[in-house]
Amino acid sequence: MKWKERGMVSMINKDYFKYLIKQNKKYLILIYVIGIIIPFWMFNEHTPTLCTTGVLSLVYGLGLSCIVPIYLFSFLQKKKSNILYFSLPIKKESLYLTTSLFSYFATILPVVIYQLITQSIVAYKMNISFGGFILTIILTIVHMFAMNTLITTITLLTQNSVDNFICSFAYIFLPLLIYIALNNCATNIVYKMMLGEGNYTQGLNAILYYLSIPYNGLAQMKYIELHVTHISSIYWLIISLVLSFVNYRLFIKRTVEQSESHTKSFFMYPSIIILGTFAMLLVMYTTDFKSNVLSFTIIFMIYLIMYYFSKRKVYFNWKIPTIFILLVVSCIGFSSIYANTKGFHSIYEVPSTSSIRSASFSFSFMTNYETKTELKYKGIDVTDINYSTGPKKSSKDNTNFVNFINDIINQKLITKYDDFYNDPINKNFYTIGVYYSIQSPTDLGRYASRDYVIEEKNIEKVLDLVAKYNLYKFKS
């Protein structure tokens, strides 16, 4: 076919766009058919919620957004295809913009249509807000746009099909590996420092919101029917717009010589190898790495395999072990700093009064050798205490709560879990379960829980503090 040169009149080449539709007609039909079938298949079983339809549509959309950009820009990875496309009577700028627009057309549009169908049925059968209806569509568009743009960036920075696939896969799952490593490190450090057991490291969830497009999108959809903010989604929209400009510049500067050679960009293999190795070292260091030479050896071998694969040859220079040694030192240094700063000041037993939205606690009596019934017959009074505050109550309730928890900690009425369970023989004890709702920037993952041990000999002093702060008490 003949493509007409539009010059500066239009940056989108309509003839080339029509050509892409014609060439990929069967794939477009498949994408649209699957998108239309899924809603009716879902409603065969039950009526899904707004959250369910949002999550399923986003999963489908993110999958398309990973595959389609790689497929459409695959001509960049082969010299013959590169020469052919760059010799077309169409400017590079127009070639990039038209291909990108078609990529969005082939992914975002069918998923939005799928959402409109499913959510219209949900809205007909259930009472959902119009705001929630629109919000799910906006969140889907934003996260699909972000994923499409990210994969396009990776495609433009890699120089062959194998590297394109591997680096795309790595960048999708690397944030999860980093999170697991940091959370594992933090959890092991925290339980050596803190008194109770609980989700002390919940603040690390924010890492995934700002590093992982799939996690952020699915988390936003999960809480779609709650009143939450979407700062992280705005962040991904801004990142996507920046990457779009970067992609435009990368495409314009792309040359035929870059095709079918090994990828050299620092943001591809070097970054992936450094971050991936650091994450693996961090996991091993805070578990069995210190005493397990085999773990160290395995990670070093994985590091070498990744390094040599990225270079496509095996050789030795001092840079290879030096980088690995620096990563080991960084791992030890990070763990030490995290411990000495209490998680960069993010770990606490009790939050500040001003940060609490609501709080609650309850006591339960436990025994290692007798049941509650047996104790009751022996005349032992078993007391269960429950207390709660809420957003509608006065701030004095939260102040009393914080002062009470601080007092039982400062007076050493709480026994450290590890110390207690090392020798729990013939001991009756109470557990106090504490639950906070925290004011959070994202309003997601805002709940903190703590579980403490109070030995039976200390319970009377604890009850005196309950009375001192006028906290609610119920006897069973």
Side-chain angles (χ1 to χ4, degrees):
M1 66 172 293
K2 294 182 179 180
W3 291 290
K4 299 175 182 178
E5 178 61 39
R6 301 291 182 179
M8 299 300 293
V9 177
S10 174
M11 294 298 287
I12 304 298
N13 191 293
K14 295 179 181 178
D15 291 331
Y16 181 59
F17 191 88
K18 292 175 184 177
Y19 169 77
L20 287 173
I21 293 177
K22 184 178 179 180
Q23 285 296 104
N24 299 284
K25 191 187 333 183
K26 59 183 178 181
Y27 299 117
L28 286 173
I29 292 173
L30 180 64
I31 290 170
Y32 276 82
V33 166
I34 292 175
I36 292 172
I37 288 176
I38 291 176
F40 294 102
W41 172 75
M42 285 170 49
F43 284 96
N44 258 343
E45 302 297 327
H46 60 280
T47 302
T49 62
L50 187 64
C51 168
T52 304
T53 58
V55 167
L56 288 176
S57 62
L58 187 59
V59 169
Y60 180 54
L62 290 176
L64 290 177
S65 298
C66 290
I67 298 169
V68 172
I70 294 176
Y71 168 72
L72 290 177
F73 286 99
S74 61
F75 66 87
L76 294 173
Q77 316 296 352
K78 298 178 181 179
K79 285 187 178 179
K80 287 184 179 179
S81 298
N82 220 334
I83 293 171
L84 173 63
Y85 275 79
F86 285 166
S87 64
L88 294 173
I90 177 174
K91 285 186 176 181
K92 260 190 173 184
E93 295 91 337
S94 185
L95 180 62
Y96 167 73
L97 292 172
T98 306
T99 306
S100 295
L101 181 63
F102 181 78
S103 180
Y104 303 140
F105 166 77
T107 55
I108 296 176
L109 184 59
V111 173
V112 169
I113 292 174
Y114 150 57
Q115 270 193 312
L116 288 171
I117 295 172
T118 54
Q119 290 176 192
S120 295
I121 299 173
V122 171
Y124 177 75
K125 294 190 175 184
M126 301 172 63
N127 184 23
I128 65 171
S129 67
F130 181 74
F133 183 97
I134 297 299
L135 187 57
T136 56
I137 294 174
I138 293 174
L139 289 176
T140 300
I141 293 173
V142 167
H143 289 91
M144 285 185 65
F145 176 62
M147 180 62 78
N148 193 307
T149 308
L150 174 64
I151 299 299
T152 302
T153 303
I154 295 170
T155 301
L156 293 170
L157 286 173
T158 52
Q159 294 168 208
N160 61 76
S161 299
V162 173
D163 290 349
N164 190 3
F165 176 80
I166 292 175
C167 292
S168 296
F169 180 86
Y171 265 102
I172 291 171
F173 290 97
L174 190 59
L176 181 60
L177 177 61
I178 294 171
Y179 168 76
I180 291 172
L182 292 176
N183 192 58
N184 185 77
C185 169
T187 301
N188 282 284
I189 290 172
V190 159
Y191 286 149
K192 292 176 183 176
M193 298 189 303
M194 312 309 280
L195 287 171
E197 287 191 347
N199 60 343
Y200 290 95
T201 61
Q202 65 157 354
L204 290 174
N205 289 341
I207 290 174
L208 279 177
Y209 295 135
Y210 295 100
L211 286 182
S212 173
I213 298 170
Y215 182 88
N216 183 73
L218 295 173
Q220 299 288 336
M221 286 296 184
K222 180 181 177 183
Y223 294 98
I224 195 68
E225 294 176 279
L226 301 178
H227 296 290
V228 299
T229 58
H230 299 279
I231 296 174
S232 52
S233 296
I234 297 171
Y235 158 85
W236 279 114
L237 178 61
I238 294 171
I239 292 294
S240 302
L241 294 173
V242 172
L243 285 180
S244 295
F245 177 76
V246 171
N247 292 346
Y248 176 80
R249 301 300 302 169
L250 287 172
F251 190 89
I252 298 302
K253 294 181 179 180
R254 183 87 179 194
T255 62
V256 175
E257 290 72 27
Q258 289 178 273
S259 304
E260 297 184 13
S261 60
H262 72 270
T263 301
K264 298 177 182 178
S265 173
F266 173 79
F267 297 102
M268 292 296 99
Y269 280 118
S271 296
I272 291 168
I273 292 169
I274 289 171
L275 293 172
T277 304
F278 178 80
M280 289 186 289
L281 286 170
L282 201 56
V283 170
M284 289 300 135
Y285 178 74
T286 50
T287 50
D288 62 350
F289 175 75
K290 295 178 183 177
S291 59
N292 194 342
V293 179
L294 179 61
S295 299
F296 176 88
T297 306
I298 290 173
I299 293 175
F300 184 64
M301 293 302 296
I302 295 173
Y303 164 78
L304 288 179
I305 292 170
M306 291 190 296
Y307 187 89
Y308 289 138
F309 181 83
S310 70
K311 300 297 182 182
R312 300 298 200 275
K313 60 181 178 180
V314 177
Y315 64 97
F316 177 81
N317 63 35
W318 289 108
K319 178 182 176 182
I320 300 172
T322 300
I323 292 175
F324 188 80
I325 292 170
L326 287 174
L327 289 173
V328 173
V329 173
S330 299
C331 170
I332 297 171
F334 176 85
S335 300
S336 300
I337 293 172
Y338 191 90
N340 293 331
T341 61
K342 283 197 172 182
F344 304 105
H345 308 292
S346 66
I347 298 171
Y348 50 81
E349 289 287 359
V350 186
S352 63
T353 303
S354 60
S355 68
I356 295 180
R357 177 171 304 185
S358 64
S360 65
F361 67 77
S362 63
F363 284 80
S364 295
F365 185 82
M366 308 291 289
T367 176
N368 284 322
Y369 62 99
E370 292 176 293
T371 66
K372 281 188 176 184
T373 304
E374 290 170 334
L375 291 168
K376 187 175 181 180
Y377 283 130
K378 290 183 178 181
I380 298 176
D381 183 27
V382 180
T383 304
D384 287 330
I385 307 159
N386 296 276
Y387 174 78
S388 63
T389 73
K392 295 182 180 179
K393 294 190 177 181
S394 68
S395 59
K396 184 180 178 182
D397 294 314
N398 287 337
T399 302
N400 287 347
F401 169 80
V402 169
N403 290 339
F404 166 70
I405 299 296
N406 279 326
D407 266 5
I408 61 176
I409 290 174
N410 295 335
Q411 294 184 33
K412 300 188 187 246
L413 302 178
I414 288 177
T415 303
K416 189 168 172 57
Y417 249 86
D418 290 344
D419 295 339
F420 179 83
Y421 281 111
N422 284 335
D423 184 26
I425 309 256
N426 295 334
K427 286 184 180 179
N428 299 325
F429 62 98
Y430 283 81
T431 61
I432 171 172
V434 183
Y435 190 74
Y436 312 123
S437 173
I438 306 297
Q439 303 280 2
S440 167
T442 60
D443 272 346
L444 298 177
R446 61 191 181 280
Y447 300 108
S449 62
R450 308 282 186 264
D451 287 302
Y452 302 109
V453 172
I454 297 176
E455 292 187 59
E456 194 176 24
K457 63 182 180 182
N458 294 327
I459 193 62
E460 290 301 325
K461 291 182 180 178
V462 174
L463 294 178
D464 289 341
L465 290 174
V466 169
K468 174 183 175 181
Y469 290 109
N470 297 315
L471 305 181
Y472 304 116
K473 181 170 68 172
F474 302 96
K475 287 187 178 182
S476 59

